[in-house]
Amino acid sequence: MTTATDVNQPTLQPAAPGSRRLSLPVLLLVIAGGLALTSIVRIITGADGITNVSQMSTALQLAVPIGLAGLGGLWAERSGVVNIGLEGMMILGTWFGAWAGYQWGPWTGVLVGIIGGAIGGLLHAIITVTFNVNHIVSGVAINILALGATRYLAPLAFEGVQGGSAKQSPPVESLGHFTVPGLSDWLSTLNSKGWFFLSDIAGLLGGLVTNVSWLTLIAVALIPATWWILWRTPFGLRLRSCGENPIAAESLGVNVYKYKYLAVIISGGLAGLGGVFLSIVANPFYLEGQTSGRGYIGLAAMIFGNWMPGGLAIGAGLFGYTDSLNLRGGAENVHALLLLGAILLVIGAIWSVVKKKYVTSVITLAVGVLVFLWYSLTDEVPNQIVSATPYVITLLVLSLSAQRLRMPKADGMPYRKGQGK
């Protein structure tokens, strides 16, 4: 007798033509190589701030809400539902988290913020799964609705309350931070030595163990948890089958509607948790416009990561790092990273030659030369470019990685129960 667990067939998730999934050792080598190049650039330019502990700690804090939004997008899209509404669900998380947090404590705020985001996810599921409305239209509508709802509710809830206003909530009590004693100081000392590679690794690790919020720890743990649930359990297998071939999944006994609903609600909850992080950890209050497009950047991180948790985490870290340049010596650090960009472009041109893509190689090399000239002929970059760096990096990363991407086959496609009969 055929059961629902039999949907684990190779035909459900074929590799894209010419694609090759990076193994963990290869991925670690790529990360180490990137860190080594960054170390060389740091030594040449003298921009020690690009890998110091405080820079990495800030980058981690900025990466967490992006990563949580990206995880939300991954859950939804693995079930076949495109979730452009992540930004709106994050907005709901910021408002509900701060609203409950200042009244009943920060951990209650975390729970209520997750519920707020999940309500947005439920609404998206009803519109797209039950009523089969276009996923993009529904997501945009939720973003607009969430923004309008919080603008309406904020004056009612916060105006007239001590520390609150029509656009800001009263302060929320801190969730608390932790630092690994001994290890943090040792890594900071090693980072300050300025040694090649070792000091840079110390800066990276030091940022992970210094002044870290408990919510950050939970967010980091959700990355391997998501991988294990979606790729190592029958529940995850059925959910992913809905995003690959819902008709085949239904024929094998999978309740496709149920799994799509669960995935999109979880998606909203994760995005809401990202919003909670912004209104309780990053800033101890709700502020209108607080998300600043992080839901969209989270979606970009998910796409960069090829709909996989590990790749998503790397993408979120990259975007969080570039965003942190705005806060700590941005102009000097961005100018130093121009040299790193030029080196990476030259490496990309060489790789294109190996792949016999000669036109691509010439274009890439020309851009690399221009970036190097920009670095050589200037001492700093304008502040406007520093502010735009995270968004420029988002566009560049997506354009350069587009060739190797493979979304779930049925992602965004309409589905009606029983249509395969």
Side-chain angles (χ1 to χ4, degrees), residues 68-69 71-86 89 114-130 135 138-139 142 230 235 239 242-243 256-272 411-412:
L68 287 170
L71 269 184
L74 186 149
W75 274 84
E77 299 209 8
R78 279 294 175 181
S79 72
V81 179
V82 175
N83 193 355
I84 298 293
L86 291 170
M89 295 167 197
I114 293 173
I115 293 172
I119 290 172
L122 175 61
L123 181 60
H124 188 48
I126 292 172
I127 296 172
T128 57
V129 178
T130 300
H135 300 189
S138 172
I142 286 173
L230 292 183
F235 170 82
L239 187 148
C242 296
V256 176
Y257 276 16
K258 180 182 80 172
Y259 282 93
K260 284 180 179 286
Y261 261 87
L262 286 173
V264 180
I265 291 171
I266 291 171
S267 172
L270 288 169
D411 194 16

Side-chain angles (χ1 to χ4, degrees), residues 100-289:
Y102 90 87
Q103 297 183 88
W104 302 299
W107 287 109
T108 302
V110 171
L111 178 60
V112 174
I114 293 173
I115 293 172
I119 290 172
L122 175 61
L123 181 60
H124 188 48
I126 292 172
I127 296 172
T128 57
V129 178
T130 300
F131 293 102
N132 224 8
V133 173
N134 181 276
H135 300 189
I136 305 298
V137 173
S138 172
V140 172
I142 286 173
N143 290 338
I144 297 172
L145 179 63
L147 182 60
T150 52
R151 281 183 175 176
Y152 173 76
L153 292 171
L156 297 177
F158 305 140
E159 201 169 25
V161 180
Q162 183 177 3
S165 69
K167 296 185 178 182
Q168 179 179 316
S169 73
V172 180
E173 183 182 346
S174 173
L175 287 169
H177 296 76
F178 73 92
T179 296
V180 179
L183 179 60
S184 175
D185 293 335
W186 178 72
L187 289 172
S188 295
T189 301
L190 182 58
N191 178 245
S192 66
K193 299 291 184 181
W195 294 338
F196 170 72
F197 195 63
L198 288 177
S199 291
D200 302 285
I201 291 179
L204 176 62
L205 297 177
L208 300 177
V209 297
T210 304
N211 201 31
V212 179
S213 167
W214 293 107
L215 198 56
T216 300
L217 192 64
I218 293 172
V220 171
L222 285 172
I223 299 290
T226 292
W227 173 83
W228 184 80
I229 292 171
L230 292 183
W231 275 269
R232 287 295 181 269
T233 66
F235 170 82
L237 172 62
R238 296 185 184 105
L239 187 148
R240 287 186 294 116
S241 71
C242 296
E244 293 292 337
N245 194 332
I247 296 175
E250 181 187 10
S251 70
L252 295 172
V254 176
N255 187 333
V256 176
Y257 276 16
K258 180 182 80 172
Y259 282 93
K260 284 180 179 286
Y261 261 87
L262 286 173
V264 180
I265 291 171
I266 291 171
S267 172
L270 288 169
L273 182 59
V276 169
F277 189 92
L278 291 173
S279 62
I280 293 182
V281 178
N283 296 298
F285 49 80
Y286 161 81
L287 184 65
E288 187 178 301

Side-chain angles (χ1 to χ4, degrees), residues 332-363:
E332 177 188 354
N333 292 338
V334 171
H335 184 261
L337 291 177
L338 288 176
L339 180 58
L340 177 61
I343 294 172
L344 291 174
L345 286 167
V346 170
I347 293 174
I350 296 172
W351 181 251
S352 295
V353 170
V354 173
K355 291 289 187 178
K356 297 182 179 180
K357 299 178 180 179
Y358 301 113
V359 175
T360 303
S361 176
V362 171
I363 295 173

